[in-house]
Amino acid sequence: MLGLQGKTAFVFGVASEDSIAWAICQHLAASGVTLYLGYQKRFMSRVFQLKDKLPQIEGFYPLDVATDAETKEFFDAFSAENPGLKADILIHAIGFAPRSCFDRPILFVEDQDINTAMTISANSLQRCLKFALPHLNENSSTITLTYAAANRFVPNYGIMSMAKAALECWTRELACHLGPDGHRINAISSGPIPTLAAGGIPGFDKILDHVEANAPLRRNVTQSDVAGAAIWLASPLSSGVTGQCIYVDAGYSITMVPQSIMDN
Ligand code: NAD
């Protein structure tokens, strides 16, 4: 039904079993997709422990999107081991900002730290696609992960808000640039989920509590909720959808005044 059987995916952003990208791997594998993972060297041992849990993972190669050279390293290793093979799906679930982006008011974050956050969390979508393109089949689907702080204030998200706004803009621009060749690029705006990356945001638990109390579904979303939307975006069922930002947030983003103010 999904039309994903026999497809191939590049998945970037697995660091642990809690990673949103890991749930996406599980859903893609269950739909018949063969997986090639790009891992950051600092998470190598964790990622290698996951390897045996999904037989659909055919390859693991180092990837660091901080530079062209370390991004190209992934595709060089992939094509050396799998000559002529192309992928249909690219999952970009990558985000990072230095500690200093969160431990002081945004007015005092240094340029180089802002630049790191923008390079890794936003501009890397362009970098990944630049090197991926020769290894992607026609009608490929790329999915990136964003957060609602891109267009609304969330306390303590700081510089990452700017990065996510830029990432959503890259999604639209790249969708227009690559659309004539049939490639689709979409973003999923996930509600807050406890992961390694989320652990770096001060007060994250308070955001989880607030969303659970106020989202229309009165709960937080899970990695599996996000992965469900991702496999739809990866599949031909969404063939007419590109450049979009799909919210998977238990409906939180449609609210403004919380119902709870009427409670007493
Ligand atoms: P995670 O820590 O499991 O994943 C983040 C990934 O980014 C890791 O695999 C890490 O290796 C990778 N990464 C960081 N710097 C990199 C670099 N230089 N090169 C290559 N990879 C690099 O956390 P997650 O929450 O699963 O994050 C995945 C994506 O989802 C991120 O873009 C994050 O901003 C986004 N997101 C997360 C939440 C949430 O609440 N967890 C909400 C909305 C969006």
Side-chain angles (χ1 to χ4, degrees):
M1 174 62 186
L2 277 172
L4 286 172
Q5 187 70 40
K7 303 281 187 195
T8 298
F10 298 133
V11 182
F12 303 155
V14 174
S16 78
E17 251 176 315
D18 291 332
S19 293
I20 295 170
W22 181 243
I24 295 173
C25 282
Q26 291 173 305
H27 278 60
L28 288 172
S31 309
V33 177
T34 302
L35 305 169
Y36 292 87
L37 271 57
Y39 65 87
Q40 222 183 349
K41 285 175 187 158
R42 67 188 174 119
F43 294 122
M44 188 172 93
S45 61
R46 282 174 186 251
V47 175
F48 271 59
Q49 280 169 21
L50 293 175
K51 181 171 67 174
D52 297 333
K53 301 198 174 186
L54 278 184
Q56 292 84 352
I57 298 176
E58 283 285 339
F60 281 86
Y61 312 106
L63 168 88
D64 197 312
V65 298
T67 63
D68 272 359
E70 290 164 292
T71 305
K72 189 171 173 290
E73 194 181 336
F74 171 89
F75 294 100
D76 288 348
F78 166 77
S79 55
E81 277 193 14
N82 308 279
L85 182 62
K86 293 190 174 191
D88 309 283
I89 300 155
L90 191 160
I91 306 296
H92 174 278
I94 291 174
F96 173 78
R99 183 79 237 137
S100 57
C101 289
F102 302 110
D103 69 2
R104 66 200 66 185
I106 52 168
L107 209 51
F108 303 109
V109 180
E110 304 283 348
D111 276 0
Q112 66 180 44
D113 295 331
I114 296 173
N115 292 342
T116 298
M118 297 299 286
T119 298
I120 306 296
S121 308
N123 305 346
S124 67
L125 180 63
Q126 179 240 24
R127 178 168 276 157
C128 287
L129 271 165
K130 178 173 66 179
F131 289 107
L133 209 52
H135 309 283
L136 289 178
N137 283 319
E138 272 179 33
N139 303 320
S140 74
S141 175
T142 293
I143 297 143
T144 189
L145 269 297
T146 184
Y147 182 50
N151 43 39
R152 288 170 142 206
F153 175 72
V154 177
N156 297 348
Y157 206 68
I159 301 302
M160 278 301 287
S161 309
M162 274 58 92
K164 290 305 191 190
L167 178 67
E168 293 180 17
C169 199
W170 273 121
T171 302
R172 291 186 291 272
E173 289 290 328
L174 289 164
C176 290
H177 182 60
L178 297 172
D181 295 325
H183 300 291
R184 300 188 293 119
I185 296 99
N186 289 288
I188 295 175
S189 185
S190 168
I193 300 176
T195 61
L196 287 174
I201 299 160
F204 188 76
D205 285 351
K206 291 182 183 165
I207 295 174
L208 285 174
D209 290 346
H210 175 77
V211 170
E212 185 177 358
N214 294 294
L217 294 179
R218 296 292 189 271
R219 68 171 178 91
N220 280 292
V221 293
T222 64
Q223 289 88 338
S224 184
D225 288 319
V226 177
I231 62 161
W232 170 70
L233 283 173
S235 84
L237 289 180
S238 61
S239 55
V241 180
T242 195
Q244 299 301 316
C245 180
I246 310 283
Y247 283 79
V248 178
D249 66 348
Y252 181 79
S253 55
I254 64 158
T255 66
M256 190 164 78
V257 179
Q259 179 69 37
S260 55
I261 67 160
M262 302 299 172
D263 288 351
N264 45 39

